[in-house]
Amino acid sequence: MPELPEVETVRRGLAPVMEGARFRKVEARRRDLRWPLGRNFVQRLQGQSVTGLGRRAKYLLADLSSGDVLLMHLGMSGSFHVFQGDADRTLARYYHERAPHAAHDHVVFHMSSGAVVTFNDPRRFGSMKIVPRKNLDAEPLLKRLGPEPLGNEFDATMLARACEGKRTTLKAALIDQRVVAGLGNIYVCEALYRARLSPKRIAATIGGKDGGPNERAERLVEAIKAVLNEAIKDGGSTLRDHRLTDGELGMFQHHFRVYDREGEKCGAAGCRGTIKRIVQNGRSTFYCPVCQK
Ligand SMILES: [Zn+2]
């Protein structure tokens, strides 16, 4: 499932063909995505220009000249493809192979830039929704999201506050989108590994009795930002390398240090541990029981 860095990579890939361009024609071939496309989905897009393409957590937000915002979420298996002339660029190919034919191209944007942008999603957990910008703060999909981990306001104090009194594990706390937005299973594992914190540790222990951050919170915030920034950088080089081909993008290019490395030697300096896999809240956690405390 795509996490923040993959969505950011997709945003950077779409921005050049969508920003400043108009939806010349929109096809909603299949309306029953995670939830149905709105009744006037096509009408509210056609003829409008995209004034900016942003991101909040794992949502892409296209600002439209009409004052609406188009929210897009990749779900489990969604991907965008950009066709421009005979150049075909695939954005965000994750665990699932791209559908071999167009049967899963559910939404197609014909942009005035000449680009055709298709949204392909075999499992249909992805979604699109149009919301007036003035109602965005009240939008249920976004309202309860925690801070952006790469935003300046996200720091050890904020994270410790969010974990104050939490008796759940650190793993569960970081997956919770209300604590911090955009992280999923993979980057939580990677961040905890770099911060040398056990995924089984009680969340509240990154703060003191007063709820203020301790040194663990400082380490964790630093690790979260580093892991995400590196992955976004990898995504950027992937976009450059595969501009004109149907290459593998997104996660395949990242180098995970613990994720999916069960049984391998821990790579941390001086550590002789072996990466272990456990199941927490129904999801696999990979960590080093020796250096993650
Ligand atoms: Zn280790």
Side-chain angles (χ1 to χ4, degrees):
M1 185 163 178
E3 300 181 31
L4 188 155
E6 289 75 36
V7 178
E8 178 60 22
T9 298
V10 171
R11 189 194 70 76
R12 292 179 186 192
L14 289 178
V17 294
M18 290 187 74
E19 279 184 336
R22 189 166 42 78
F23 290 97
R24 206 167 46 73
K25 183 180 153 198
V26 173
E27 296 174 64
R29 293 181 182 169
R30 179 128 195 190
R31 307 184 74 92
D32 54 338
L33 302 183
R34 182 166 188 178
W35 47 77
L37 295 175
R39 192 174 296 273
N40 299 317
F41 182 81
V42 169
Q43 293 88 328
R44 280 171 82 174
L45 292 179
Q46 273 179 174
Q48 303 302 326
S49 304
V50 177
T51 56
L53 187 64
R55 180 188 56 75
R56 172 75 172 108
K58 302 177 201 173
Y59 289 91
L60 293 169
L61 281 76
D63 265 294
L64 308 180
S65 46
S66 60
D68 281 334
V69 179
L70 170 64
L71 265 61
M72 300 177 276
H73 195 284
L74 295 167
M76 307 281 287
S77 58
S79 60
F80 283 95
H81 304 258
V82 177
F83 302 89
Q84 240 175 345
D86 29 338
D88 165 3
R89 191 139 59 109
T90 304
L91 301 173
R93 217 165 79 148
Y94 299 104
Y95 298 108
H96 306 272
E97 285 297 302
R98 196 211 152 174
H101 48 76
H104 300 293
D105 286 345
H106 304 311
V107 180
V108 183
F109 301 141
H110 300 263
M111 305 304 298
S112 61
S113 59
V116 177
V117 177
T118 65
F119 177 65
N120 185 289
D121 189 359
R123 297 179 68 183
R124 284 184 287 117
F125 283 111
S127 53
M128 292 197 189
K129 184 177 181 180
I130 301 174
V131 181
R133 172 144 284 273
K134 60 179 168 45
N135 298 349
L136 210 58
D137 287 343
E139 169 53 40
L141 293 173
L142 306 177
K143 199 166 63 171
R144 298 179 72 201
L145 289 174
E148 283 291 319
L150 294 176
N152 290 331
E153 74 285 2
F154 179 68
D155 61 10
T157 304
M158 184 176 263
L159 185 59
R161 285 274 171 235
C163 290
E164 193 179 353
K166 268 198 191 298
R167 306 307 297 171
T168 55
T169 63
L170 261 186
K171 169 83 187 296
L174 294 178
I175 294 272
D176 184 345
Q177 299 296 299
R178 292 167 298 185
V179 171
V180 53
L183 294 181
N185 205 38
I186 293 176
Y187 293 104
V188 168
C189 290
E190 293 293 314
L192 287 170
Y193 175 72
R194 291 199 195 197
R196 305 188 311 280
L197 292 172
S198 170
K200 298 191 281 189
R201 172 178 280 283
I202 296 298
T205 63
I206 63 165
K209 283 206 172 63
D210 59 350
N214 59 28
E215 179 262 341
R216 293 185 198 109
E218 304 279 357
R219 246 161 44 207
L220 186 51
V221 165
E222 203 176 301
I224 290 169
K225 289 181 187 269
V227 158
L228 295 176
N229 277 322
E230 281 175 31
I232 289 171
K233 203 164 148 252
D234 286 349
S237 37
T238 305
L239 278 183
R240 278 192 300 279
D241 293 348
H242 294 275
R243 192 165 296 261
L244 299 174
T245 67
D246 195 34
E248 292 185 352
L249 292 172
M251 296 203 182
F252 289 123
Q253 299 297 313
H254 305 322
H255 300 288
F256 302 122
R257 296 188 189 173
V258 273
Y259 189 81
D260 215 11
R261 289 185 177 273
E262 184 182 15
E264 292 183 31
K265 275 194 205 135
C266 172
C271 181
R272 303 176 70 98
T274 302
I275 307 302
K276 194 176 166 188
R277 184 182 78 92
I278 54 172
V279 175
Q280 293 179 294
N281 307 93
R283 309 284 305 275
S284 287
T285 299
F286 298 88
Y287 76 113
C288 172
V290 176
C291 64
Q292 287 180 256
K293 299 293 182 193

